[in-house]
Amino acid sequence: MVQVSHAFLYLIILESFTLIEHLTAAHNGNSESPNKKPNIVFILIDDLGFNDVSYHGSNETKTPNIDALARSGTVLTRHYTHSLCSPSRGALMTAKYATQLGLGYVIRPARREGLGLEEKLMPEYLRELIEERNQSNPFFVYFAHNAVHIPIEGKTSLASRFPGVFDSERLAYLTQVAAVDESVGVVMETLEKAGVLDNTIVVVTSDNGGSTEHDSRSSNFPLRGGKRTLFEGGVRTPALIAGPGIHKEKLYQHYFHISDWLSTFLEAVGAHLSHLPDGLDGVSHWKNFRQANLEDDGHVPRKEVLIGIETGGTRALIHGKLQIAMLSVQSQKLGYPIGTGLERTFR
């Protein structure tokens, strides 16, 4: 099978906000049409910990722009990924678990492995709907941050926001999170100035849990473990969705896997999911996001999540209210209940 490099996962990456301004130039004055398909902006932060957003209740982290989006939209309390970047991003782009893609490792620049050329990716599905974009057609932007991945490059100008933090490495990490939060604010301001914010779905999430290795000082509290583990802290991430039809200040407590975004977006822009190819693992949550009572169990999109099947026999599955993990190194089988992991706080 012919495969490609890691760069193939990054088909649409914003290096600046010029692209948003260019994409939205044709939309001024047209955002009030009730039948208009929504635009989509997907912001993926690298290695952001579960407790590294202040809307999860942290008194140390300061993420006012992300918090504002959480208040204006719906917070996903059980958003799951794989435990590493490349598997998660492959699942995001293809709506397939990484086990289907043969991705159980990080794809580094020097490696030839990656997604097979036969795999159809999220931008390709969406492009088919917006191929001949004009003033009435939507746009899709995938904004993939390198931050807050190591090496931690703190922003000293923001250090004064954290007077009670004395650990220099934790301080550097928090200023980097704050800088990412500022970039989210710039995206929102740009969309608002272009007159398209009211018709744009915005998602902010992470590719895996925060790293607790090396020089990183992320926090996944109150979850166990971190990046590279199959425990909750490694695979359960901050996530929110805001935009037209999305309820404000709500918690979405159904299981959601990163592979579900593709089907969810396609249904949001009016695609017929019956036309999708067989073999996809992702499911749509769009109808659930729009219903008045998000906790209504009349329709549960997914009842289980495959967390991972890794080399050496390490594997984990969430089914019902239990996460079942087989950890080959420790030679133990664990089963423990899944809680919400956060209180209803929108600050």
Side-chain angles (χ1 to χ4, degrees):
M1 178 173 60
V2 178
Q3 296 182 315
V4 294
S5 70
H6 196 194
F8 195 50
L9 292 175
Y10 295 86
L11 289 188
I12 303 177
I13 300 179
L14 282 172
E15 296 296 340
S16 68
F17 302 106
T18 305
L19 179 55
I20 291 181
E21 294 169 350
H22 171 71
L23 288 171
T24 58
H27 290 258
N28 288 311
N30 293 289
S31 60
E32 300 302 321
S33 173
N35 297 318
K36 192 176 180 185
K37 295 177 181 178
N39 311 304
I40 299 170
V41 175
F42 192 94
I43 302 174
L44 188 65
I45 304 172
D46 202 335
D47 290 4
L48 184 68
F50 190 83
N51 197 41
D52 288 334
V53 288
S54 44
Y55 72 77
H56 272 181
S58 173
N59 293 321
E60 193 174 62
T61 305
K62 294 181 173 59
T63 52
N65 294 292
I66 296 176
D67 295 351
L69 269 173
R71 289 192 298 271
S72 67
T74 294
V75 170
L76 286 66
T77 66
R78 292 183 171 95
H79 181 271
Y80 286 90
T81 65
H82 294 297
S83 63
L84 287 170
C85 52
S86 299
S88 290
R89 292 163 196 260
L92 169 66
M93 287 294 159
T94 63
K96 295 180 179 180
Y97 287 135
T99 51
Q100 277 212 70
L101 303 170
L103 285 178
Y105 50 84
V106 176
I107 305 173
R108 303 189 185 281
R111 299 183 69 157
R112 296 176 59 85
E113 297 91 342
L115 290 179
L117 290 176
E118 76 281 0
E119 296 293 347
K120 189 173 181 179
L121 306 188
M122 180 188 289
E124 296 177 80
Y125 284 104
L126 292 169
R127 188 182 297 120
E128 291 177 358
L129 298 175
I130 59 176
E131 189 81 59
E132 298 177 358
R133 192 179 67 83
N134 54 41
Q135 291 187 357
S136 63
N137 283 340
F139 60 80
F140 169 66
V141 173
Y142 172 45
F143 183 5
H145 271 285
N146 284 331
V148 290
H149 195 285
I150 59 172
I152 302 302
E153 298 176 355
K155 192 171 182 179
T156 55
S157 62
L158 302 179
S160 60
R161 298 184 185 181
F162 308 94
V165 179
F166 303 103
D167 182 319
S168 60
E169 292 180 341
R170 176 64 174 165
L171 178 61
Y173 178 84
L174 291 173
T175 61
Q176 190 170 35
V177 172
V180 170
D181 179 77
E182 286 189 339
S183 76
V184 173
V186 174
V187 170
M188 301 306 294
E189 182 180 0
T190 304
L191 293 170
E192 185 173 20
K193 286 181 178 179
V196 297
L197 180 58
D198 290 342
N199 194 48
T200 301
I201 296 169
V202 180
V203 171
V204 180
T205 188
S206 178
D207 60 344
N208 46 248
S211 175
T212 56
E213 302 174 332
H214 309 299
D215 298 325
S216 180
R217 288 294 183 271
S218 63
S219 172
N220 297 306
F221 180 84
L223 308 179
R224 178 182 182 181
K227 177 181 178 180
R228 298 180 184 274
T229 77
L230 299 183
F231 293 118
E232 292 278 286
V235 297
R236 186 169 166 185
T237 71
L240 63 86
I241 181 171
I246 302 298
H247 295 284
K248 297 182 179 181
E249 296 194 5
K250 292 285 188 178
L251 296 179
Y252 186 72
Q253 301 193 51
H254 291 309
Y255 293 131
F256 192 109
H257 189 259
I258 194 169
S259 63
D260 295 340
W261 285 116
L262 194 156
S263 296
T264 300
F265 289 157
L266 289 176
E267 188 168 18
V269 298
H272 296 288
L273 300 185
S274 60
H275 296 166
L276 289 175
D278 295 333
L280 300 187
D281 299 302
V283 297
S284 174
H285 297 249
W286 184 245
K287 289 185 176 67
N288 293 71
F289 284 149
R290 292 174 61 83
Q291 67 186 19
N293 183 5
L294 300 188
E295 298 178 3
D296 182 5
D297 289 333
H299 173 63
V300 180
R302 65 161 64 242
K303 297 181 180 179
E304 62 183 24
V305 181
L306 177 63
I307 299 300
I309 301 176
E310 300 182 357
T311 304
T314 302
R315 52 198 183 273
L317 170 74
I318 291 175
H319 183 76
K321 295 183 179 181
L322 287 177
Q323 180 177 143
I324 303 167
M326 181 71 76
L327 308 176
S328 60
V329 176
Q330 292 91 337
S331 299
Q332 57 180 318
K333 183 176 182 180
L334 305 175
Y336 57 91
I338 306 297
T340 61
L342 81 154
E343 300 299 327
R344 185 184 291 270
T345 55
F346 295 95
R347 299 189 294 174

